[in-house]
Amino acid sequence: MTASVFFGCTFIAFGPAISLFLFTIARDPLRVIFLIAGAFFWLVSLLLSSLVWFIAVQISNKENASVQKGLLIFGVVLSVLLQETFRFGYYKLLKRANEGLMALSQEDAMPISIRQLAYVSGLGFGFMSGAFSVVNILADSLGPGTVGIHGDSQHYFVSSAFMTMAIILLHMFWGVVFFDACEKKRWWAVVIVVLSHLLVSCLSFLNPQYEGSLIPAYVVMCVMGMWAFSSAGGSLRNLKLCLTCRDKDFLLANHRPR
Amino acid sequence: MASLFGKLIVLLALILQNRGDVFGNAVEQKIYVKLNNTSPCVRLLNSTHQIGCQSSISGDTGVIHVVEVLSDLDWVLMAGPNPPYMVLLQGELFSSDFWFTLSVSVRVLFLSLSLSLSLSLSLLCSGVYSDSYGPQYSHCNRTLWNPLGDGLSYEDFHFPVFMMRDENETSVIKKVSSVLFDSLAVGGWLRHASFHGLENIDSIVEIGQVGLRNGSKLWIHSDPISRKNSSVNEEVILSVCLSVCKTPAAQQSGFSQPLPPASFQRFLKARPIPGVVLTDHQLAFNNRFYESSYDTADNLRVSYPSGLSLEQQLDFITDTARVTERHSLTHSFRETSLYVSSSSSSSSSSSLLLLLLLLLLLLLCCHGFLIQSNNSWFRSLLSQELQSILVDSPLSITLLSPPVRVHPPGPVLANLTGTCDQPHPGPVPEPDKNTGPTKRYLYEYLWVQGEVSENTSRPGSYCVRAAVRLSKAISPAFELKDYRSTEYSTWTESRWKDIRARIFLVASKELEMVTLAVGIAILVVSLLVTYFVSSKADILFTSARETTTAAY
């Protein structure tokens, strides 16, 4: 569908992620490292789940469509569970690493806080997940044709791009909430994260009814966004302060060292 | 640890790639419909001209438009708002003028459904007759051999042309077709070496198109110019005609009638050899589809009674084959079947016998060429490795394919004209040494696998000795490296590995622009928001639980 659709969909899918990376991560090498490591952890989880699914498909009856559909659902559920498991694994690894780094370094404060790590790892998960969701589709959008000759919806590319954007941001929010919940030992929050992840992934089975999959996904994203915002220390009051440009007064009034 | 990660990455990449191979690119399948059953027109060049079709270097794209009546043509050429167009032609109603109009239009990129094209008139009018040899017969002054031919095989088109061979594809899409230009080099060039030097040739009997006889008549043509020489004339009448003319239903064409297009003309160019050409037509061709892709069993009126199995059909002698004659092989073979008598004294009875054998040959093997080549007889003739070329459909011989395609006529001819030399395969005997100056082998030896019947596991194989040759149709111009030769053909073909067509939908410009605009808007907005949030992060992400944040 030519270059305009390719660039449009790329910006839709990766716009927020790229701007987050540029403004908050790129300058700090430590964050970059943890971002890439997080992406790699997601990749390994995908590898394991796709291995299991692949083996299951090979030993199954390939002619039976309902069996294949069932296996696909099983694959998706397994993949979600594995991703969250690896998120937890990454959390544990980061805790240990941070304690080790603290022991080695001379400084009192940790070089990077767990909250920042939560954000960075979530974004890393999101980057890799988004890449795998959409790069294949973007490559085909560069060609001269568009989807539709067999009756599929013409909005295939655009809706895939929007779904990818939602997924990337969701991974970031899930990361923040998840790490916060693990820190405070709030396991119900972890369960909610896993369940919402399952929900969003299974919504994709409603495609090509894009209204059915995109709108609930964005609703979940907004809810998780608000939850992540409050977990990270945000509040409505702070937001109002920023938006009405009264932050300077707030700083002066409180005068706390940073 | 790092090496383990590296191995995992490689494994993942391999698995993902495997998935791609196994399942195909699903997105691509949603977008494109590949046209699998097409025949493209290709580019042919000789030292001075080019014919055929070509596309742009990276392919051509255009909007499909069906042209069924002439008014559609006007829309394509002038009124249509989105040139260039891929024109789909249906039906056989169009003349070469129509094609010419399309061909010169820059708004046309062309796909066409099957038309019956015919060989260029000018090519049939070349040959031995020229201003120096029989000028009254040159340029088809006397006889127009293929009046239905429109010469489109030898036009030069600046766009690609395809012929759709599958009705399903055409009907599903409804707008796709292409024309096959059967633009092989005209006539194969016979290597002189195969015939041990022209001076060793006594006479020539050529069997041209013999399949569409009117009232079972067979016409005998000879060259009036060479027959002006009394010795040649005697030879033609006594030696050649005596045996051939005894064939029932044979009739001589007029003395002043020139030779029809035939390979014999090429021999005449070198030396006035006595000879005749047998055809089913006296003047113009009976075959409407000469050298066309419509030259098929149906059009040749080859029919078998219903209910016959394949093997029964093989033994059945159809009406067309009656009177010892059979369908022409001119269009199945690129070169007509040729019988050459090389001995200095040929008895008339043996010539007649051989002639009848040849006709029997045509009878038997045409089923294989016109109906289905994968039959028991062909299978018995070819060795194991070559049997893969036999198909459950007519075997058309094209010299463009790898040469293995040309094999079936060789063993078939050898089996029908040769002698069985040994009952079982053994050491190849010493080749006959010709007493002529060239000392080439007179005969070729061929091992035939024989029938593989269910009863015996061992096939009854045998060795055949025959004067059948397989020659590469390479022009002497290339062997002499005379690329500007006007004496020999210098035709070449420009080959591409992959010539294909596909169909897809194109998104409207509005949708594309909206997508791009939305993408840019989202990028800009997210950059702004992120900048805002990151600059105010200290404010935004403080909370009432300030005392615990330090340890966080």
Side-chain angles (χ1 to χ4, degrees), chain B residues 37 39 165 184 331-335 368-374 378 382 385-412 470-473 495:
Chain B
N37 227 340
S39 306
R165 293 195 170 278
L184 301 169
H331 19 73
S332 299
F333 288 73
R334 285 307 307 166
E335 296 147 81
F369 287 107
L370 283 173
I371 309 291
Q372 179 167 323
S373 61
N374 190 11
F378 273 21
L382 296 178
E385 309 88 59
L386 294 174
Q387 284 195 18
S388 57
I389 64 174
L390 298 178
V391 292
D392 289 337
S393 60
L395 184 73
S396 66
I397 298 174
T398 63
L399 292 175
L400 297 177
S401 312
V404 70
R405 278 257 183 208
V406 205
H407 275 175
V412 164
L470 190 69
S471 311
K472 268 195 187 175
R495 297 305 305 276

CSV table of all heavy atoms in Angstrom, one decimal, chain B residues 37 39 165 184 331-335 368-374 378 382 385-412 470-473 495:
chain,number,residue,atom,x,y,z
B,37,ASN,N,-1.6,-19.8,-13.9
B,37,ASN,CA,-1.7,-20.5,-15.2
B,37,ASN,C,-1.7,-19.5,-16.3
B,37,ASN,O,-2.7,-19.3,-17.0
B,37,ASN,CB,-3.1,-21.2,-15.2
B,37,ASN,CG,-2.9,-22.6,-15.6
B,37,ASN,OD1,-1.9,-22.9,-16.3
B,37,ASN,ND2,-3.8,-23.5,-15.3
B,39,SER,N,0.7,-17.8,-19.6
B,39,SER,CA,1.8,-17.9,-20.5
B,39,SER,C,2.2,-16.5,-21.0
B,39,SER,O,1.4,-15.8,-21.5
B,39,SER,CB,1.4,-18.7,-21.8
B,39,SER,OG,0.9,-19.9,-21.4
B,165,ARG,N,-4.6,-19.2,-19.1
B,165,ARG,CA,-4.9,-20.5,-19.6
B,165,ARG,C,-6.0,-21.2,-18.7
B,165,ARG,O,-6.5,-22.3,-19.0
B,165,ARG,CB,-3.7,-21.4,-19.6
B,165,ARG,CG,-2.7,-21.0,-20.6
B,165,ARG,CD,-1.6,-22.1,-20.8
B,165,ARG,NE,-0.8,-21.8,-21.9
B,165,ARG,CZ,-1.1,-22.0,-23.2
B,165,ARG,NH1,-2.3,-22.6,-23.4
B,165,ARG,NH2,-0.3,-21.7,-24.2
B,184,LEU,N,8.6,-18.7,-31.3
B,184,LEU,CA,9.8,-19.5,-31.4
B,184,LEU,C,10.5,-19.1,-32.8
B,184,LEU,O,9.8,-18.7,-33.7
B,184,LEU,CB,9.6,-21.0,-31.4
B,184,LEU,CG,8.9,-21.4,-30.1
B,184,LEU,CD1,8.4,-22.8,-30.3
B,184,LEU,CD2,9.8,-21.3,-28.9
B,331,HIS,N,2.8,-28.7,-36.1
B,331,HIS,CA,2.7,-27.8,-35.0
B,331,HIS,C,3.0,-28.5,-33.7
B,331,HIS,O,3.3,-27.9,-32.7
B,331,HIS,CB,1.3,-27.3,-34.8
B,331,HIS,CG,0.3,-28.1,-35.7
B,331,HIS,ND1,-0.1,-29.3,-35.3
B,331,HIS,CD2,-0.3,-27.8,-36.8
B,331,HIS,CE1,-1.0,-29.7,-36.2
B,331,HIS,NE2,-1.1,-28.8,-37.1
B,332,SER,N,3.1,-29.9,-33.7
B,332,SER,CA,3.6,-30.5,-32.5
B,332,SER,C,5.1,-30.6,-32.6
B,332,SER,O,5.7,-30.4,-31.6
B,332,SER,CB,3.0,-32.0,-32.5
B,332,SER,OG,1.6,-31.9,-32.4
B,333,PHE,N,5.6,-30.8,-33.7
B,333,PHE,CA,7.0,-30.8,-33.9
B,333,PHE,C,7.4,-29.4,-34.3
B,333,PHE,O,6.7,-28.7,-35.0
B,333,PHE,CB,7.5,-31.7,-35.0
B,333,PHE,CG,7.4,-33.2,-34.7
B,333,PHE,CD1,6.2,-33.8,-34.6
B,333,PHE,CD2,8.6,-33.9,-34.4
B,333,PHE,CE1,6.1,-35.1,-34.3
B,333,PHE,CE2,8.5,-35.2,-34.1
B,333,PHE,CZ,7.3,-35.9,-34.1
B,334,ARG,N,8.5,-29.0,-33.9
B,334,ARG,CA,9.0,-27.7,-34.5
B,334,ARG,C,9.5,-27.9,-35.9
B,334,ARG,O,9.6,-27.0,-36.7
B,334,ARG,CB,10.1,-27.1,-33.6
B,334,ARG,CG,9.5,-26.5,-32.3
B,334,ARG,CD,8.4,-25.5,-32.6
B,334,ARG,NE,8.8,-24.5,-33.5
B,334,ARG,CZ,7.9,-23.7,-34.1
B,334,ARG,NH1,6.7,-23.8,-33.9
B,334,ARG,NH2,8.3,-22.8,-35.0
B,335,GLU,N,10.0,-29.0,-36.2
B,335,GLU,CA,10.4,-29.3,-37.5
B,335,GLU,C,9.6,-30.4,-38.1
B,335,GLU,O,9.2,-31.3,-37.4
B,335,GLU,CB,11.9,-29.7,-37.5
B,335,GLU,CG,12.8,-28.7,-37.0
B,335,GLU,CD,14.0,-29.2,-36.3
B,335,GLU,OE1,15.0,-29.6,-37.0
B,335,GLU,OE2,14.0,-29.2,-35.1
B,368,GLY,N,-0.2,-39.6,-28.4
B,368,GLY,CA,0.7,-39.2,-27.4
B,368,GLY,C,0.9,-37.7,-27.4
B,368,GLY,O,1.1,-37.1,-26.4
B,369,PHE,N,0.9,-37.1,-28.6
B,369,PHE,CA,1.2,-35.7,-28.6
B,369,PHE,C,0.0,-34.8,-28.5
B,369,PHE,O,0.0,-33.7,-28.0
B,369,PHE,CB,1.9,-35.4,-30.0
B,369,PHE,CG,3.3,-35.9,-30.0
B,369,PHE,CD1,3.6,-37.0,-30.8
B,369,PHE,CD2,4.3,-35.3,-29.3
B,369,PHE,CE1,4.9,-37.4,-30.8
B,369,PHE,CE2,5.6,-35.7,-29.3
B,369,PHE,CZ,5.9,-36.8,-30.0
B,370,LEU,N,-1.2,-35.4,-28.9
B,370,LEU,CA,-2.4,-34.5,-29.0
B,370,LEU,C,-3.3,-34.7,-27.8
B,370,LEU,O,-4.0,-33.9,-27.4
B,370,LEU,CB,-3.2,-34.7,-30.2
B,370,LEU,CG,-2.6,-34.0,-31.5
B,370,LEU,CD1,-3.3,-34.5,-32.7
B,370,LEU,CD2,-2.7,-32.5,-31.3
B,371,ILE,N,-3.3,-35.9,-27.2
B,371,ILE,CA,-4.2,-36.2,-26.2
B,371,ILE,C,-3.5,-36.4,-24.8
B,371,ILE,O,-3.7,-35.6,-23.9
B,371,ILE,CB,-5.0,-37.5,-26.5
B,371,ILE,CG1,-5.6,-37.5,-27.9
B,371,ILE,CG2,-6.1,-37.8,-25.4
B,371,ILE,CD1,-6.7,-36.5,-28.0
B,372,GLN,N,-2.7,-37.4,-24.8
B,372,GLN,CA,-2.0,-37.6,-23.5
B,372,GLN,C,-0.7,-38.3,-23.7
B,372,GLN,O,-0.6,-39.4,-24.3
B,372,GLN,CB,-2.9,-38.5,-22.6
B,372,GLN,CG,-2.2,-38.7,-21.2
B,372,GLN,CD,-3.2,-39.3,-20.2
B,372,GLN,OE1,-4.3,-39.0,-20.2
B,372,GLN,NE2,-2.7,-40.3,-19.4
B,373,SER,N,0.4,-37.7,-23.3
B,373,SER,CA,1.7,-38.3,-23.6
B,373,SER,C,2.0,-39.4,-22.6
B,373,SER,O,2.9,-40.2,-22.9
B,373,SER,CB,2.7,-37.2,-23.5
B,373,SER,OG,2.8,-36.6,-22.3
B,374,ASN,N,1.4,-39.4,-21.4
B,374,ASN,CA,1.7,-40.4,-20.5
B,374,ASN,C,0.9,-41.7,-20.8
B,374,ASN,O,0.0,-42.0,-20.1
B,374,ASN,CB,1.4,-39.9,-19.1
B,374,ASN,CG,2.0,-40.8,-18.0
B,374,ASN,OD1,2.8,-41.7,-18.3
B,374,ASN,ND2,1.6,-40.6,-16.8
B,378,PHE,N,4.6,-44.7,-25.0
B,378,PHE,CA,5.7,-43.8,-24.7
B,378,PHE,C,6.5,-44.2,-23.6
B,378,PHE,O,7.7,-44.0,-23.6
B,378,PHE,CB,5.1,-42.4,-24.5
B,378,PHE,CG,4.8,-41.6,-25.7
B,378,PHE,CD1,4.7,-42.2,-27.0
B,378,PHE,CD2,4.7,-40.2,-25.7
B,378,PHE,CE1,4.4,-41.5,-28.1
B,378,PHE,CE2,4.5,-39.5,-26.8
B,378,PHE,CZ,4.3,-40.1,-28.0
B,382,LEU,N,10.8,-44.7,-23.5
B,382,LEU,CA,11.8,-43.8,-22.8
B,382,LEU,C,12.4,-44.4,-21.6
B,382,LEU,O,11.8,-45.3,-21.0
B,382,LEU,CB,11.1,-42.5,-22.3
B,382,LEU,CG,10.5,-41.6,-23.4
B,382,LEU,CD1,9.8,-40.4,-22.8
B,382,LEU,CD2,11.6,-41.1,-24.3
B,385,GLU,N,14.8,-42.2,-16.5
B,385,GLU,CA,15.1,-40.8,-16.1
B,385,GLU,C,14.2,-39.9,-16.9
B,385,GLU,O,13.9,-38.8,-16.4
B,385,GLU,CB,16.6,-40.5,-16.3
B,385,GLU,CG,17.6,-41.4,-15.7
B,385,GLU,CD,17.9,-42.5,-16.7
B,385,GLU,OE1,18.4,-42.2,-17.8
B,385,GLU,OE2,17.7,-43.7,-16.3
B,386,LEU,N,13.9,-40.2,-18.1
B,386,LEU,CA,13.2,-39.3,-19.0
B,386,LEU,C,11.7,-39.4,-18.8
B,386,LEU,O,11.0,-38.6,-19.4
B,386,LEU,CB,13.6,-39.6,-20.5
B,386,LEU,CG,15.0,-39.3,-20.8
B,386,LEU,CD1,15.3,-39.7,-22.3
B,386,LEU,CD2,15.3,-37.8,-20.7
B,387,GLN,N,11.2,-40.4,-18.1
B,387,GLN,CA,9.8,-40.6,-18.1
B,387,GLN,C,9.1,-39.5,-17.3
B,387,GLN,O,7.9,-39.3,-17.4
B,387,GLN,CB,9.4,-41.9,-17.4
B,387,GLN,CG,9.7,-43.0,-18.4
B,387,GLN,CD,9.0,-44.3,-18.0
B,387,GLN,OE1,8.2,-44.3,-17.2
B,387,GLN,NE2,9.5,-45.4,-18.6
B,388,SER,N,9.9,-38.7,-16.5
B,388,SER,CA,9.2,-37.6,-15.8
B,388,SER,C,8.7,-36.5,-16.7
B,388,SER,O,7.8,-35.7,-16.3
B,388,SER,CB,10.2,-37.0,-14.8
B,388,SER,OG,11.3,-36.5,-15.6
B,389,ILE,N,9.1,-36.5,-18.0
B,389,ILE,CA,8.6,-35.5,-18.9
B,389,ILE,C,7.2,-35.8,-19.4
B,389,ILE,O,6.5,-35.0,-20.0
B,389,ILE,CB,9.5,-35.2,-20.0
B,389,ILE,CG1,9.7,-36.4,-20.9
B,389,ILE,CG2,10.9,-34.8,-19.5
B,389,ILE,CD1,10.5,-36.2,-22.2
B,390,LEU,N,6.8,-37.1,-19.3
B,390,LEU,CA,5.5,-37.5,-19.8
B,390,LEU,C,4.4,-37.0,-18.8
B,390,LEU,O,4.5,-37.1,-17.6
B,390,LEU,CB,5.4,-39.0,-19.9
B,390,LEU,CG,6.4,-39.6,-20.9
B,390,LEU,CD1,6.2,-41.1,-20.9
B,390,LEU,CD2,6.2,-39.1,-22.3
B,391,VAL,N,3.4,-36.4,-19.4
B,391,VAL,CA,2.3,-35.7,-18.6
B,391,VAL,C,1.0,-36.3,-19.0
B,391,VAL,O,0.8,-36.9,-20.0
B,391,VAL,CB,2.3,-34.2,-18.7
B,391,VAL,CG1,3.6,-33.6,-18.1
B,391,VAL,CG2,2.2,-33.8,-20.2
B,392,ASP,N,0.0,-36.0,-18.2
B,392,ASP,CA,-1.4,-36.5,-18.4
B,392,ASP,C,-2.1,-35.5,-19.3
B,392,ASP,O,-3.3,-35.2,-19.1
B,392,ASP,CB,-2.1,-36.7,-17.1
B,392,ASP,CG,-1.6,-37.9,-16.4
B,392,ASP,OD1,-1.0,-38.8,-17.1
B,392,ASP,OD2,-1.8,-38.0,-15.2
B,393,SER,N,-1.4,-34.9,-20.2
B,393,SER,CA,-2.1,-33.9,-21.1
B,393,SER,C,-1.3,-33.9,-22.4
B,393,SER,O,-0.2,-34.6,-22.5
B,393,SER,CB,-2.0,-32.5,-20.4
B,393,SER,OG,-0.7,-32.2,-20.2
B,394,PRO,N,-1.7,-33.2,-23.4
B,394,PRO,CA,-0.9,-33.2,-24.6
B,394,PRO,C,0.5,-32.7,-24.4
B,394,PRO,O,0.7,-31.8,-23.6
B,394,PRO,CB,-1.7,-32.2,-25.5
B,394,PRO,CG,-3.0,-32.2,-25.0
B,394,PRO,CD,-2.9,-32.5,-23.5
B,395,LEU,N,1.4,-33.3,-25.1
B,395,LEU,CA,2.8,-32.9,-24.9
B,395,LEU,C,3.1,-32.0,-26.0
B,395,LEU,O,3.2,-32.3,-27.2
B,395,LEU,CB,3.7,-34.2,-25.0
B,395,LEU,CG,5.2,-33.9,-24.8
B,395,LEU,CD1,5.5,-33.6,-23.3
B,395,LEU,CD2,6.0,-35.1,-25.2
B,396,SER,N,3.3,-30.7,-25.7
B,396,SER,CA,3.7,-29.8,-26.7
B,396,SER,C,5.2,-29.6,-26.6
B,396,SER,O,5.8,-29.6,-25.5
B,396,SER,CB,3.0,-28.5,-26.5
B,396,SER,OG,3.5,-27.9,-25.3
B,397,ILE,N,5.8,-29.6,-27.7
B,397,ILE,CA,7.3,-29.5,-27.8
B,397,ILE,C,7.7,-28.1,-28.0
B,397,ILE,O,7.3,-27.5,-29.0
B,397,ILE,CB,7.8,-30.4,-28.9
B,397,ILE,CG1,7.4,-31.8,-28.6
B,397,ILE,CG2,9.3,-30.3,-29.0
B,397,ILE,CD1,7.7,-32.7,-29.7
B,398,THR,N,8.3,-27.6,-27.1
B,398,THR,CA,8.9,-26.2,-27.2
B,398,THR,C,10.4,-26.3,-27.1
B,398,THR,O,10.9,-26.9,-26.2
B,398,THR,CB,8.3,-25.3,-26.2
B,398,THR,OG1,8.7,-25.7,-24.9
B,398,THR,CG2,6.8,-25.3,-26.2
B,399,LEU,N,11.0,-25.6,-27.9
B,399,LEU,CA,12.5,-25.6,-27.8
B,399,LEU,C,12.9,-24.6,-26.8
B,399,LEU,O,14.1,-24.5,-26.5
B,399,LEU,CB,13.1,-25.2,-29.2
B,399,LEU,CG,12.8,-26.2,-30.3
B,399,LEU,CD1,13.4,-25.7,-31.6
B,399,LEU,CD2,13.5,-27.5,-29.9
B,400,LEU,N,12.0,-23.9,-26.2
B,400,LEU,CA,12.4,-22.9,-25.1
B,400,LEU,C,12.7,-23.7,-23.8
B,400,LEU,O,13.5,-23.2,-23.0
B,400,LEU,CB,11.4,-21.9,-24.9
B,400,LEU,CG,11.1,-21.0,-26.1
B,400,LEU,CD1,10.0,-20.1,-25.7
B,400,LEU,CD2,12.3,-20.2,-26.4
B,401,SER,N,12.0,-24.8,-23.7
B,401,SER,CA,12.2,-25.6,-22.5
B,401,SER,C,13.6,-26.2,-22.5
B,401,SER,O,14.2,-26.2,-23.6
B,401,SER,CB,11.2,-26.6,-22.3
B,401,SER,OG,9.9,-26.0,-22.6
B,402,PRO,N,14.0,-26.8,-21.4
B,402,PRO,CA,15.3,-27.6,-21.5
B,402,PRO,C,15.2,-28.7,-22.6
B,402,PRO,O,14.1,-29.2,-22.8
B,402,PRO,CB,15.4,-28.3,-20.1
B,402,PRO,CG,14.6,-27.4,-19.3
B,402,PRO,CD,13.6,-26.7,-20.1
B,403,PRO,N,16.2,-29.0,-23.3
B,403,PRO,CA,16.2,-29.9,-24.4
B,403,PRO,C,15.5,-31.2,-24.2
B,403,PRO,O,15.1,-31.9,-25.1
B,403,PRO,CB,17.6,-30.1,-24.8
B,403,PRO,CG,18.3,-28.9,-24.3
B,403,PRO,CD,17.6,-28.5,-23.0
B,404,VAL,N,15.4,-31.6,-22.9
B,404,VAL,CA,14.9,-32.9,-22.6
B,404,VAL,C,13.4,-33.0,-23.1
B,404,VAL,O,13.0,-34.1,-23.4
B,404,VAL,CB,14.9,-33.2,-21.1
B,404,VAL,CG1,13.9,-32.3,-20.4
B,404,VAL,CG2,14.6,-34.7,-20.8
B,405,ARG,N,12.8,-31.9,-23.3
B,405,ARG,CA,11.4,-32.0,-23.8
B,405,ARG,C,11.3,-32.5,-25.2
B,405,ARG,O,10.3,-33.0,-25.6
B,405,ARG,CB,10.9,-30.5,-23.8
B,405,ARG,CG,10.4,-30.1,-22.5
B,405,ARG,CD,8.9,-30.1,-22.5
B,405,ARG,NE,8.3,-29.6,-21.3
B,405,ARG,CZ,7.2,-30.0,-20.8
B,405,ARG,NH1,6.5,-30.9,-21.5
B,405,ARG,NH2,6.8,-29.5,-19.7
B,406,VAL,N,12.4,-32.4,-25.9
B,406,VAL,CA,12.3,-32.8,-27.4
B,406,VAL,C,12.5,-34.3,-27.5
B,406,VAL,O,12.5,-34.8,-28.6
B,406,VAL,CB,13.3,-32.0,-28.2
B,406,VAL,CG1,12.9,-31.9,-29.6
B,406,VAL,CG2,13.5,-30.6,-27.6
B,407,HIS,N,12.7,-35.0,-26.5
B,407,HIS,CA,13.1,-36.4,-26.6
B,407,HIS,C,12.1,-37.3,-27.2
B,407,HIS,O,12.5,-38.2,-27.9
B,407,HIS,CB,13.6,-36.9,-25.3
B,407,HIS,CG,15.1,-36.6,-25.0
B,407,HIS,ND1,15.7,-36.9,-23.8
B,407,HIS,CD2,16.0,-36.1,-25.8
B,407,HIS,CE1,17.0,-36.5,-23.9
B,407,HIS,NE2,17.2,-36.0,-25.1
B,408,PRO,N,10.8,-37.2,-26.8
B,408,PRO,CA,9.9,-38.2,-27.3
B,408,PRO,C,9.9,-38.5,-28.8
B,408,PRO,O,9.8,-39.6,-29.2
B,408,PRO,CB,8.6,-37.7,-26.8
B,408,PRO,CG,8.9,-36.9,-25.6
B,408,PRO,CD,10.2,-36.3,-25.9
B,409,PRO,N,9.9,-37.5,-29.6
B,409,PRO,CA,9.9,-37.8,-31.1
B,409,PRO,C,11.1,-38.7,-31.5
B,409,PRO,O,10.9,-39.5,-32.4
B,409,PRO,CB,10.0,-36.5,-31.8
B,409,PRO,CG,9.5,-35.5,-30.8
B,409,PRO,CD,10.0,-36.0,-29.4
B,410,GLY,N,12.2,-38.5,-30.9
B,410,GLY,CA,13.4,-39.3,-31.3
B,410,GLY,C,13.2,-40.7,-31.1
B,410,GLY,O,13.3,-41.5,-32.1
B,411,PRO,N,13.0,-41.2,-29.8
B,411,PRO,CA,12.7,-42.6,-29.7
B,411,PRO,C,11.6,-43.1,-30.5
B,411,PRO,O,11.6,-44.3,-30.9
B,411,PRO,CB,12.5,-42.7,-28.2
B,411,PRO,CG,13.2,-41.6,-27.6
B,411,PRO,CD,13.1,-40.5,-28.6
B,412,VAL,N,10.5,-42.3,-30.6
B,412,VAL,CA,9.3,-42.8,-31.4
B,412,VAL,C,9.7,-43.0,-32.8
B,412,VAL,O,9.4,-44.1,-33.4
B,412,VAL,CB,8.2,-41.7,-31.3
B,412,VAL,CG1,7.2,-41.9,-32.3
B,412,VAL,CG2,7.6,-41.7,-29.9
B,470,LEU,N,19.0,-36.5,-33.4
B,470,LEU,CA,18.5,-35.4,-32.5
B,470,LEU,C,19.5,-34.2,-32.7
B,470,LEU,O,20.6,-34.4,-32.3
B,470,LEU,CB,18.4,-35.8,-31.1
B,470,LEU,CG,17.6,-34.9,-30.1
B,470,LEU,CD1,16.2,-34.8,-30.4
B,470,LEU,CD2,17.9,-35.3,-28.7
B,471,SER,N,19.0,-33.2,-33.3
B,471,SER,CA,19.9,-32.0,-33.5
B,471,SER,C,19.5,-30.8,-32.7
B,471,SER,O,18.3,-30.6,-32.6
B,471,SER,CB,20.0,-31.6,-35.0
B,471,SER,OG,20.2,-32.7,-35.8
B,472,LYS,N,20.4,-30.2,-32.2
B,472,LYS,CA,20.1,-28.9,-31.5
B,472,LYS,C,19.8,-27.9,-32.6
B,472,LYS,O,20.5,-27.7,-33.6
B,472,LYS,CB,21.3,-28.4,-30.7
B,472,LYS,CG,21.3,-28.9,-29.3
B,472,LYS,CD,22.3,-28.0,-28.5
B,472,LYS,CE,22.5,-28.5,-27.1
B,472,LYS,NZ,23.5,-27.8,-26.4
B,473,ALA,N,18.7,-27.2,-32.4
B,473,ALA,CA,18.3,-26.1,-33.3
B,473,ALA,C,19.1,-24.9,-33.1
B,473,ALA,O,18.6,-23.9,-32.7
B,473,ALA,CB,16.8,-25.9,-33.3
B,495,ARG,N,15.7,-14.0,-21.8
B,495,ARG,CA,15.0,-14.8,-20.8
B,495,ARG,C,15.0,-14.2,-19.4
B,495,ARG,O,16.0,-13.5,-19.1
B,495,ARG,CB,15.8,-16.2,-20.6
B,495,ARG,CG,15.8,-17.1,-21.8
B,495,ARG,CD,14.5,-17.5,-22.3
B,495,ARG,NE,13.5,-18.0,-21.5
B,495,ARG,CZ,13.5,-19.3,-21.1
B,495,ARG,NH1,14.4,-20.1,-21.5
B,495,ARG,NH2,12.5,-19.7,-20.4
